Amino acid sequence: MAGSIKKYHSFRKDLLILLACVMGALVAGVVAGNGYLLDTVISEFRESQISSMLGNVRRTLLIQDRAYHLYEKMLDERMRAAMHRFQDAYSRCGGDLETLDLSSLRSPQDHDIDFFALDGANVVVLTSFEKDLGLNIAEPGTELAAYLESVRGTGEYVTHRATVSRYDGIKKFAYQVAEGGRHLLEVGVSLSRHSASLAGVRLDTVPGDIRQDNDMLLSVHVFNSSGISFTSDESGQHFLLGGERREALSRALATGQAELRSGAEVLYRYFQLAPTESGELGKVVEIAVDTAKLRGLRNGHLLLLMGFGVVCVAGGLAASLWLARRFSRPLLQLSDGVHRIAAGHLGEPVVVDSTNEIGQLASDVEAMRVRIAGLVSRLEATNQELLGNYDVLIRAFLKALEHRESGTAAHSLRVNRIAMAIGEAMGLDERRMNLLDWGSLLHDIGKLTLSNTLLLKPGALTPEEYECVKRHPSLGHEVLRELHYLGGALEVTLHHHERYDGAGYPHGLSGEGIPLLARICAVADAFEAMTSDRPYRSGMDRVRACEEIKAAAGSQFDPDVVEAFLRLPWREL
């Protein structure tokens, strides 16, 4: 009997050890599984934040690029004239740079133009901008060096899309080989000095806006292919990137993106933005992330989970069975909550039936969920702010039109007012009203590319001149087409001269094949044009204009749009 009792106790001891080991293995498996989930959540959160930052920077760069492109077209004539004066002065002094007086080349309206002479190695040997004297603007092997070599090969006057100067912000440059071929002449205008009306799309404001919503983000910078920053550093200066970061930037230019770890805490990610169709060299975005904060959050949670495993194993079978009832349900609830966060369901709280360490861990996870949800909410607010910046951009386009030819800008504002009234009468929803607002304001943006001589001609246009004017819808669409947020507003720019019977331009669309917003703008545009004075005729009275539009319903105009238009109280407009 004594032997049997001894064997029973030995068996019970072995059983308890076995069960404790099984429990320990289960706890270890749960710890590992939740560790994996935590890694997944944190990794996906980091990548989503980086993707959102990159998207904001990309959109702002695109807006800025298109806005500056309009200014560049307006500056080109002045730059060409400045280059002509530069070539004359160079020829008169026989290429002797020591006797060439650059100050005499500036007219009163050209105080913002700088002059440069480059030697065969692309070093600045003469300039009105003293900070750049002796600077090698394009080292061998760079894209800019290849570009300048092609300029030397052709000898023609060329302009280069806006890029960044280390000491003078964003600039536009023009190049031409000097007489005799010894030097390359360069004319530069700082667009930063011309951007007061584009304050809403300045790139320098974007990194700060992003950083205040994300404390794991250390910095966001944008560089040109030479490693000069479009964004400024803490002292407000543009800077030249060097060392390992410059090497990583070069890899991004070659492959599209690159990654660099600096010590154990900082991760640099580099993304190349593709060149635009206008030939601008690509930009590279650098995003620096503090990985220590994410790693500390992950390790702290894993240590808590591992502590639970030690307690469970050390407590023996009785404690294991008791903890199983108290531990498994809360842990499964916690695991389910982490899964929901990873799936993006940030509005569902993480609730665990526990007040012990698991409850504390659940509180930490819930706090993380609230923080992530807050960050997402602020990012959505940032997107709304970007929409506001888009509106600033549109107003800047109109200001550019007004500087170029004030009648076109005033016409666009009146067409906008009439089109919005028609849209409201037709019961358009808020989204389409916003697109109609933007589209009607920008419908004649293509006229920026036409000469004032043509736009203000007092007599009738020749057939050739009329064909040139008919290109303005396509040209306007080309200027705006990469601003994808405009959506249906782009269709207004392209199709507002289509006719309901298919006899319009540029594509000869007919009936409902013409986008509705363009059909609305067509009526508003025609009415405003008929009732306004032009250099070659006086405007007709409104009653007669309404009669002509009514008579053109079904041929030139959509009958439904005309019907809504005729219901409007015109005396109030």
Side-chain angles (χ1 to χ4, degrees):
M1 175 68 75
S4 298
I5 293 174
K6 185 175 181 180
K7 288 181 180 179
Y8 168 75
H9 283 296
S10 176
F11 171 76
R12 187 177 67 173
K13 179 180 178 182
D14 291 341
L15 180 61
L16 287 174
I17 292 172
L18 177 61
L19 290 175
C21 291
V22 170
M23 180 60 73
L26 290 174
V27 172
V30 172
V31 170
N34 279 276
Y36 171 77
L37 287 173
L38 284 172
D39 284 342
T40 300
V41 170
I42 291 171
S43 176
E44 290 184 358
F45 172 58
R46 181 186 69 187
E47 293 305 315
S48 67
Q49 293 296 299
I50 290 176
S51 177
S52 178
M53 297 170 209
L54 182 63
N56 284 342
V57 174
R58 189 192 305 273
R59 284 189 293 273
T60 302
L61 280 170
L62 183 58
I63 293 171
Q64 185 189 62
D65 178 69
R66 306 309 294 179
Y68 280 142
H69 187 45
L70 292 175
Y71 273 93
E72 291 174 49
K73 286 181 175 292
M74 299 169 65
L75 291 171
D76 187 63
E77 185 174 343
R78 289 176 53 210
M79 295 182 70
R80 188 180 292 272
M83 179 63 79
H84 183 71
R85 296 195 300 272
F86 199 1
Q87 286 281 16
D88 284 348
Y90 184 93
S91 178
R92 286 195 302 271
C93 72
D96 184 1
L97 299 184
E98 293 184 359
T99 63
L100 204 163
D101 180 14
L102 295 180
S103 62
S104 65
L105 302 181
R106 284 180 171 156
S107 60
Q109 66 270 25
D110 289 337
H111 63 279
D112 55 345
I113 290 183
D114 292 310
F115 299 89
F116 308 82
L118 312 179
D119 65 12
N122 297 323
V123 174
V124 179
V125 292
L126 178 69
T127 178
S128 59
F129 191 74
E130 295 300 324
K131 289 182 179 180
D132 279 355
L133 187 62
L135 177 68
N136 187 339
I137 70 167
E139 297 178 356
T142 63
E143 290 181 86
L144 183 55
Y147 175 79
L148 295 181
E149 188 61 29
S150 68
V151 172
R152 289 185 173 91
T154 63
E156 297 178 358
Y157 170 87
V158 296
T159 59
H160 188 274
R161 285 304 314 279
T163 186
V164 68
S165 165
R166 186 172 180 184
Y167 300 110
D168 204 24
I170 298 175
K171 299 190 75 168
K172 176 180 176 63
F173 295 100
Y175 302 93
Q176 190 173 24
V177 177
E179 181 180 328
R182 290 176 53 205
H183 297 100
L184 183 65
L185 304 187
E186 177 183 44
V187 173
V189 177
S190 173
L191 294 182
S192 301
R193 305 176 198 172
H194 289 260
S195 60
S197 62
L198 302 176
V201 293
R202 280 184 57 244
L203 180 61
D204 269 356
T205 64
V206 176
D209 294 341
I210 297 175
R211 287 187 63 185
Q212 71 180 6
D213 287 334
N214 196 329
D215 59 1
M216 79 171 184
L217 178 65
L218 298 176
S219 65
V220 179
H221 288 296
V222 181
F223 299 93
N224 67 8
S225 60
S226 297
I228 302 176
S229 67
F230 281 83
T231 45
S232 54
D233 59 15
E234 292 76 5
S235 62
Q237 300 296 315
H238 298 275
F239 60 95
L240 179 65
L241 196 63
E244 291 183 335
R245 291 167 65 188
R246 176 62 183 276
E247 294 175 2
L249 182 143
S250 298
R251 292 198 301 273
L253 284 170
T255 64
Q257 59 181 297
E259 183 173 299
L260 172 66
R261 289 196 173 273
S262 178
E265 298 183 352
V266 180
L267 171 66
Y268 290 100
R269 297 283 289 275
Y270 298 83
F271 304 89
Q272 182 187 14
L273 303 183
T276 65
E277 81 289 346
S278 52
E280 179 189 20
L281 296 178
K283 300 181 180 72
V284 174
V285 179
E286 176 197 70
I287 296 175
V289 177
D290 183 356
T291 60
K293 293 184 178 180
L294 296 176
R295 188 172 60 254
L297 175 66
R298 185 254 191 204
N299 291 344
H301 287 174
L302 285 182
L303 284 174
L304 283 173
L305 288 170
M306 290 174 66
F308 293 136
V310 172
V311 170
C312 289
V313 174
L317 177 61
S320 298
L321 294 174
W322 180 76
L323 283 174
R325 292 192 297 271
R326 299 292 303 274
F327 185 75
S328 60
R329 175 178 170 80
L331 195 54
L332 288 173
Q333 291 174 324
L334 176 60
S335 177
D336 182 61
V338 172
H339 273 292
R340 290 199 305 272
I341 293 174
H345 302 298
L346 300 177
E348 303 176 18
V350 178
V351 179
V352 173
D353 300 331
S354 176
T355 58
N356 56 19
E357 289 86 347
I358 298 181
Q360 180 60 48
L361 177 60
S363 297
D364 290 344
V365 173
E366 170 64 8
M368 182 176 72
R369 180 197 66 81
V370 171
R371 177 163 179 75
I372 294 173
L375 287 171
V376 171
S377 176
R378 286 194 291 276
L379 283 171
E380 291 174 349
T382 299
N383 286 336
Q384 290 301 313
E385 184 177 347
L386 279 173
L387 288 177
N389 285 343
Y390 299 153
D391 192 68
V392 170
L393 170 64
I394 291 171
R395 304 297 168 179
F397 281 166
L398 287 177
K399 181 169 286 189
L401 269 173
E402 187 173 7
H403 285 307
R404 177 70 185 275
E405 198 276 288
S406 59
T408 301
H411 165 76
S412 297
L413 291 171
R414 290 192 293 267
V415 169
N416 169 256
R417 184 178 59 187
I418 297 168
M420 294 298 286
I422 297 174
E424 187 173 346
M426 296 185 72
L428 298 187
D429 58 32
E430 181 180 0
R431 183 187 67 83
R432 289 195 293 179
M433 287 293 287
N434 285 337
L435 294 176
L436 180 61
D437 190 13
W438 289 346
S440 56
L441 282 172
L442 294 172
H443 75 283
D444 271 347
I445 196 70
K447 289 186 177 179
L448 270 177
T449 62
L450 304 179
S451 68
N452 282 346
T453 303
L454 193 60
L455 292 176
L456 302 178
K457 184 176 180 179
L461 298 177
T462 66
E464 294 77 13
E465 290 172 333
Y466 182 57
E467 286 302 316
C468 185
V469 170
K470 285 171 63 176
R471 294 177 57 210
H472 81 269
S474 298
L475 293 172
H477 182 266
E478 180 65 20
V479 168
L480 301 172
R481 68 183 180 86
E482 287 193 16
L483 301 183
H484 302 298
Y485 72 89
L486 288 175
L490 293 174
E491 297 177 340
V492 178
T493 302
L494 183 61
H495 297 302
H496 67 280
H497 280 295
E498 304 285 1
R499 289 174 54 101
Y500 201 71
D501 59 9
Y505 61 86
H507 295 146
L509 303 183
S510 64
E512 295 187 1
I514 306 170
L516 174 60
L517 302 185
R519 283 178 265 152
I520 292 173
C521 187
V523 173
D525 188 31
F527 178 78
E528 201 289 321
M530 285 190 287
T531 56
S532 298
D533 293 334
R534 291 291 184 267
Y536 50 88
R537 61 154 176 81
S538 298
M540 67 176 64
D541 64 77
R542 294 185 173 188
V543 173
R544 181 183 169 192
C546 288
E547 289 174 351
E548 292 209 7
I549 287 178
K550 182 177 181 180
S555 56
Q556 184 174 354
F557 305 119
D558 181 343
D560 292 336
V561 176
V562 172
E563 191 273 333
F565 163 79
L566 294 175
R567 294 202 310 267
L568 298 178
W570 293 111
R571 291 182 181 180
E572 299 178 9
L573 292 177

